[in-house]
Amino acid sequence: MAPPSPRCSNGKVNEDDETTGAPVGRRVIFGMLGLGALGIAVGANAQQKVNRALAPLGPVGQVLPAAGGFRYYSVVAGVKARKPENYRLTVNGLVKKPRTFSFADLQRLPQTQMTKDFQCVTGWRVENVAWAGVALPDLLDAVGVPPQAQAVRFHSFDGVYTESLTLEQARRRDVLVATGMLSGPVEHDHGGPVRLYVAPMYAYKSLKWLGRIELTSDVIPGYWEERGYDVDAWVGRSNGRDDEPT
Amino acid sequence: MNRPDERPRVDGRAVDGRAVDGRAAWVARFSVAERAVHHVTGLLMLVCLVTAACLYVPDLSTLVGRRNLIKPIHVWAGFLLPVPVLLGVLSRAFRQDLRRLNRFGPRDTEWLRRRDRRAVLNGRGVIEVGKFNAGQKLNAAFVAGSILVMLGTGAMLTFPDPWPDSWRGGATFVHDWLTLAIVVMTFGHLWYALRDQGALTGMLTGRVDRSWAARHHAGWLTAMDRSSSNGVRDGAAEDMGSQSVPLTDAAVPRKRGPESP
């Protein structure tokens, strides 16, 4: 706000009495700045309480900030929904037996379940998400990995998004080709019918709408990694963040 | 309670003949600079709100996607938001408006307290409202405070590295919830503006009908007339050049037309 000035610049009369009186406008602004600073200090805690309070509201709560926990991120304008019946997952590249899996094929492989947090690199976190599907090492065993394959590249059927892991990372038991999530199928908006869940890493590694897995000799940086995010995206140990590990 | 409705006009002059007493039918209200600050700030605010909805409302973000395109638009519009006001400070008329918006006098307290604050008697508002009423002043302060808080928290989210995680969570919390308040205030602002042709004309052309001014901002109209008769022109009129009000004797009692219901 401008400093108080009871006279106009010509020094004669005031056009009106409006430039005298209490500086309420300035007080409102300073008050809002104070509340903003307070919100920054205590807001993270408050939002968790809000999330818990609004959770029973279901879809109504979705309009309110982060009440549903998950936020929807997509880098393309739209993704055509696929049903489990016509879903196909291709595994190719440096593999012994290239193969295309149907949704039913995936369900016939050994199943893995885990309940773990989902941490986004932009700060939001959804605690205790139930995941179900095929552990990536079990899928890799089904196609056979020759020694020259050292990395795994994932392609989304949105046509644009890609991700990657080293073979060592891909052999972890907590990396999942997820066919179930939140005690149900993986919804389209969550990247269904089949998505990746890389438990120990930030959520951009957990590619949605998984369409193809390609074994490569070297790590090829994924979509966000070409845009400045860390390739090794360990929660709490990358991207300059110190979140609790998932 | 009378609603300050529009009065019939012919060729831009009040039909009740008020213009015949020698006063112009129109009064200069906002200079080019003041209107430019308003329009650009409003436009940037709308861009921020629309892109925010696309990034954030689940159904919309599902529909629109394109996060890599929408996010930079949102961030740039946000960082540009304070620029029009800062440039506006170069204008004397705008600085004068800032002073008026900042200060609350007895008329503002009265305006906030009375239920008949918008009532009109014999063509004049019952409260001698100045250039801005108390609601407009509070709205302006809220917008200014919002821009600063959203800028601060938005900057923390755009450049998250220096901040501890809990602060970033807090900044997200403030940014999210203040957005809801801004949406409510923006709809309220548009609601009042779009129902008032005179106010819209004032913000679009810079000048208002004299009878509109008498009904909504009686104190301001009186002060304008007094200052023009004293040879002191309002800052807005100065920027408008030829739009200044003709000189008349302020001591002559104003002819009052019948008030529309």
Side-chain angles (χ1 to χ4, degrees):
Chain A
M1 272 294 155
S5 160
R7 299 274 158 206
C8 38
S9 53
N10 60 21
K12 280 205 232 157
V13 286
N14 206 346
E15 281 105 341
D16 49 58
D17 303 327
E18 276 192 277
T19 50
T20 57
V24 172
R26 198 190 317 164
R27 288 177 197 157
V28 168
I29 293 173
F30 282 132
M32 288 180 72
L33 289 174
L35 283 176
L38 183 71
I40 291 169
V42 304
N45 201 356
Q47 184 66 59
Q48 285 189 356
K49 294 199 174 87
V50 171
N51 290 357
R52 260 174 246 133
L54 294 180
L57 289 181
V60 182
Q62 278 208 342
V63 234
L64 297 171
F70 284 93
R71 296 185 184 201
Y72 175 90
Y73 292 168
S74 171
V75 298
V76 296
V79 183
K80 204 161 183 297
R82 289 193 192 178
K83 292 191 170 115
E85 302 90 88
N86 49 29
Y87 173 81
R88 293 291 180 275
L89 170 63
T90 304
V91 185
N92 60 11
L94 302 174
V95 293
K96 288 177 181 160
K97 295 172 290 177
R99 196 177 151 187
T100 296
F101 295 85
S102 68
F103 194 83
D105 292 336
L106 291 175
Q107 287 182 313
R108 278 190 286 271
L109 290 172
Q111 298 294 301
T112 301
Q113 296 189 349
M114 62 184 83
T115 298
K116 280 185 176 292
D117 296 355
F118 193 72
Q119 171 78 49
C120 178
V121 75
T122 60
W124 55 270
R125 182 180 184 119
V126 185
E127 293 175 3
N128 300 320
V129 182
W131 301 90
V134 182
L136 189 55
D138 294 338
L139 188 79
L140 294 177
D141 287 345
V143 292
V145 179
Q148 66 268 33
Q150 287 300 310
V152 187
R153 188 168 200 222
F154 305 92
H155 300 263
S156 170
F157 63 76
D158 72 4
V160 173
Y161 201 84
T162 55
E163 254 310 332
S164 59
L165 292 171
T166 66
L167 188 64
E168 189 191 349
Q169 291 161 359
R171 290 270 188 210
R172 290 176 63 113
R173 300 290 314 170
D174 55 0
V175 178
L176 208 62
V177 173
T179 52
M181 176 183 172
L182 299 166
S183 311
V186 182
E187 300 288 340
H188 173 72
D189 288 351
H190 285 303
V194 178
R195 72 173 298 169
L196 197 66
Y197 173 58
V198 183
M201 294 195 180
Y202 285 108
Y204 63 89
K205 298 299 268 193
S206 295
L207 170 142
K208 306 209 289 192
W209 306 294
L210 179 62
R212 182 159 72 95
I213 299 177
E214 179 188 9
L215 277 285
T216 58
S217 55
D218 299 292
V219 169
I220 301 165
Y223 182 90
W224 285 119
E225 290 142 27
E226 286 173 355
R227 290 159 178 80
Y229 289 86
D230 288 348
V231 177
D232 293 321
W234 305 107
V235 173
R237 287 186 283 133
S238 66
N239 295 294
R241 297 183 61 92
D242 57 356
D243 308 285
E244 283 286 304
T246 37
Chain B
M1 181 166 61
N2 289 327
R3 269 226 56 85
D5 296 312
E6 266 307 289
R7 305 180 72 85
R9 271 180 278 113
V10 175
D11 293 330
R13 307 202 132 210
V15 197
D16 60 15
R18 195 168 289 164
V20 182
D21 66 3
R23 295 166 191 276
W26 296 95
V27 190
R29 181 160 170 81
F30 293 119
S31 72
V32 174
E34 290 163 293
R35 281 178 283 150
V37 171
H38 173 269
H39 298 337
V40 179
T41 303
L43 188 70
L44 288 170
M45 188 64 99
L46 287 180
V47 170
C48 280
L49 288 176
V50 169
T51 50
C54 292
L55 291 171
Y56 174 85
V57 177
D59 289 337
L60 256 185
S61 57
T62 315
L63 203 66
V64 178
R66 293 184 198 273
R67 197 171 178 81
N68 51 338
L69 173 71
I70 307 285
K71 186 183 161 187
I73 295 176
H74 181 78
V75 168
W76 275 101
F79 283 133
L80 287 174
L81 249 182
V83 172
V85 171
L86 292 177
L87 289 179
V89 170
L90 295 173
S91 152
R92 195 165 77 83
F94 182 74
R95 291 199 303 274
Q96 182 74 4
D97 277 357
L98 287 185
R99 286 184 209 107
R100 286 167 162 148
L101 289 165
N102 182 25
R103 298 284 169 170
F104 274 57
R107 290 178 298 189
D108 298 306
T109 322
E110 201 187 346
W111 192 92
L112 288 173
R113 199 184 301 125
R114 280 172 66 165
R115 294 203 59 179
D116 63 344
R117 60 180 74 94
R118 294 179 195 279
V120 172
L121 200 63
N122 295 329
R124 280 179 76 83
V126 292
I127 302 177
E128 292 281 306
V129 174
K131 185 169 183 181
F132 303 105
N133 67 41
Q136 292 170 320
K137 292 180 182 186
L138 287 176
N139 180 62
F142 174 82
V143 169
S146 298
I147 289 176
L148 291 175
V149 172
M150 293 306 264
L151 190 71
T153 52
M156 286 177 70
L157 298 172
T158 311
F159 307 107
D161 289 349
W163 317 107
D165 196 32
S166 74
W167 285 28
R168 286 185 304 221
T172 310
F173 171 80
V174 173
H175 208 80
D176 285 355
W177 285 96
L178 187 53
T179 302
L180 289 189
I182 292 171
V183 166
V184 170
M185 292 294 280
T186 303
F187 275 112
H189 178 66
L190 291 173
W191 169 255
Y192 281 111
L194 293 174
R195 292 194 316 163
D196 188 340
Q197 184 65 43
L200 283 180
T201 306
M203 193 43 92
L204 288 175
T205 68
R207 52 185 208 164
V208 291
D209 187 282
R210 167 173 288 277
S211 62
W212 180 90
R215 279 174 282 132
H216 292 267
H217 300 278
W220 171 67
L221 183 63
T222 305
M224 289 281 284
D225 288 343
R226 195 193 313 130
S227 64
S228 65
S229 65
N230 287 342
V232 179
R233 293 148 81 204
D234 182 75
E238 230 162 69
D239 285 19
M240 297 279 294
S242 62
Q243 295 287 347
S244 62
V245 200
L247 298 180
T248 45
D249 186 359
V252 173
R254 175 162 309 116
K255 190 180 164 196
R256 285 174 182 173
E259 176 56 30
S260 54

